[in-house]
Coordinates of all heavy atoms in Angstrom, one line a residue:
L328 N 118.4 84.8 118.1 CA 119.3 83.6 118.3 C 118.8 82.8 119.5 O 118.6 81.5 119.4 CB 120.8 84.0 118.5 CG 121.8 82.8 118.7 CD1 121.7 82.0 117.5 CD2 123.1 83.4 119.1
H329 N 118.5 83.4 120.7 CA 117.9 82.7 121.8 C 116.6 82.0 121.4 O 116.3 80.9 121.8 CB 117.8 83.6 122.9 CG 119.1 84.0 123.6 ND1 119.8 83.0 124.4 CD2 119.8 85.1 123.7 CE1 120.9 83.6 124.8 NE2 120.9 84.8 124.4
R330 N 115.7 82.8 120.7 CA 114.4 82.2 120.4 C 114.5 81.0 119.5 O 113.7 80.0 119.6 CB 113.4 83.3 119.8 CG 113.1 84.4 120.7 CD 112.2 83.9 121.8 NE 110.9 83.5 121.3 CZ 110.3 82.4 121.5 NH1 110.8 81.4 122.3 NH2 109.1 82.3 121.0
A331 N 115.5 81.1 118.5 CA 115.6 80.0 117.6 C 116.0 78.8 118.4 O 115.7 77.6 118.1 CB 116.6 80.4 116.5
E332 N 117.1 79.0 119.3 CA 117.6 77.8 120.1 C 116.4 77.2 120.9 O 116.3 76.0 121.0 CB 118.7 78.3 121.0 CG 119.9 78.7 120.3 CD 120.6 77.6 119.6 OE1 120.3 76.4 119.8 OE2 121.6 77.9 118.9
D333 N 115.5 78.0 121.5 CA 114.4 77.5 122.3 C 113.4 76.7 121.3 O 112.9 75.7 121.7 CB 113.6 78.7 122.7 CG 114.3 79.4 124.0 OD1 115.3 78.7 124.4 OD2 114.0 80.5 124.3
E334 N 113.3 77.2 120.0 CA 112.4 76.5 119.0 C 113.0 75.1 118.8 O 112.3 74.2 118.5 CB 112.2 77.3 117.9 CG 111.0 76.9 117.0 CD 109.7 76.9 117.7 OE1 109.5 77.8 118.6 OE2 109.0 75.9 117.4
V335 N 114.3 75.1 118.6 CA 115.0 73.8 118.3 C 114.8 72.9 119.5 O 114.5 71.7 119.3 CB 116.5 74.0 118.0 CG1 117.2 72.7 117.9 CG2 116.7 74.8 116.7
S336 N 114.9 73.4 120.6 CA 114.7 72.5 121.8 C 113.2 72.0 121.9 O 113.0 70.8 122.2 CB 115.1 73.3 123.1 OG 116.4 73.7 123.1
R337 N 112.3 73.0 121.6 CA 110.9 72.5 121.5 C 110.6 71.6 120.4 O 109.8 70.6 120.7 CB 110.1 73.8 121.4 CG 108.5 73.5 121.6 CD 107.7 74.7 121.4 NE 107.9 75.6 122.6 CZ 108.6 76.7 122.5 NH1 109.0 77.2 121.4 NH2 108.7 77.5 123.6
F338 N 111.2 71.7 119.3 CA 111.1 70.7 118.3 C 111.6 69.3 118.7 O 110.9 68.3 118.4 CB 111.9 71.2 117.1 CG 111.9 70.2 115.9 CD1 110.8 70.1 115.0 CD2 113.0 69.4 115.7 CE1 110.8 69.2 114.0 CE2 113.0 68.4 114.7 CZ 111.9 68.4 113.9
N339 N 112.8 69.3 119.4 CA 113.3 67.9 119.8 C 112.4 67.3 120.9 O 112.5 66.1 121.0 CB 114.7 68.2 120.3 CG 115.7 68.6 119.3 OD1 115.5 68.3 118.2 ND2 116.7 69.4 119.7
R340 N 111.7 68.1 121.6 CA 110.9 67.6 122.7 C 109.4 67.2 122.2 O 109.0 66.1 122.5 CB 110.6 68.7 123.8 CG 109.8 68.2 125.1 CD 109.7 69.3 126.0 NE 108.9 68.8 127.2 CZ 108.6 69.5 128.3 NH1 109.1 70.8 128.3 NH2 107.9 69.1 129.2
F341 N 108.8 68.1 121.4 CA 107.4 67.8 121.0 C 107.3 67.4 119.4 O 106.2 67.1 119.1 CB 106.6 69.1 121.2 CG 106.5 69.4 122.7 CD1 107.3 70.5 123.2 CD2 105.8 68.7 123.7 CE1 107.2 70.9 124.5 CE2 105.8 69.0 125.0 CZ 106.5 70.2 125.4
H342 N 108.4 67.6 118.7 CA 108.4 67.3 117.3 C 107.3 68.1 116.6 O 106.5 67.5 115.7 CB 108.1 65.8 117.1 CG 109.3 65.0 117.6 ND1 110.5 64.9 117.2 CD2 109.2 64.2 118.9 CE1 111.2 64.0 117.9 NE2 110.4 63.6 119.0
T343 N 107.1 69.4 116.9 CA 106.1 70.2 116.2 C 107.0 70.9 115.1 O 108.1 71.3 115.3 CB 105.6 71.4 117.1 OG1 106.7 72.0 117.8 CG2 104.8 70.6 118.2
A344 N 106.2 71.2 114.0 CA 106.9 71.8 112.8 C 107.4 73.3 113.2 O 106.7 74.0 114.0 CB 106.0 71.7 111.7
A345 N 108.3 73.7 112.5 CA 109.0 75.1 112.6 C 109.7 75.4 111.3 O 110.3 74.6 110.7 CB 109.8 75.2 113.8
T346 N 109.5 76.7 111.0 CA 110.1 77.1 109.7 C 110.9 78.5 109.9 O 110.4 79.3 110.7 CB 109.0 77.4 108.6 OG1 108.2 76.1 108.5 CG2 109.7 77.7 107.3

Side-chain angles (χ1 to χ4, degrees):
L328 184 60
H329 285 293
R330 292 294 290 126
E332 295 291 351
D333 290 344
E334 194 60 37
V335 171
S336 299
R337 187 176 293 109
F338 175 82
N339 293 331
R340 181 178 179 183
F341 300 107
H342 301 286
T343 56
T346 306

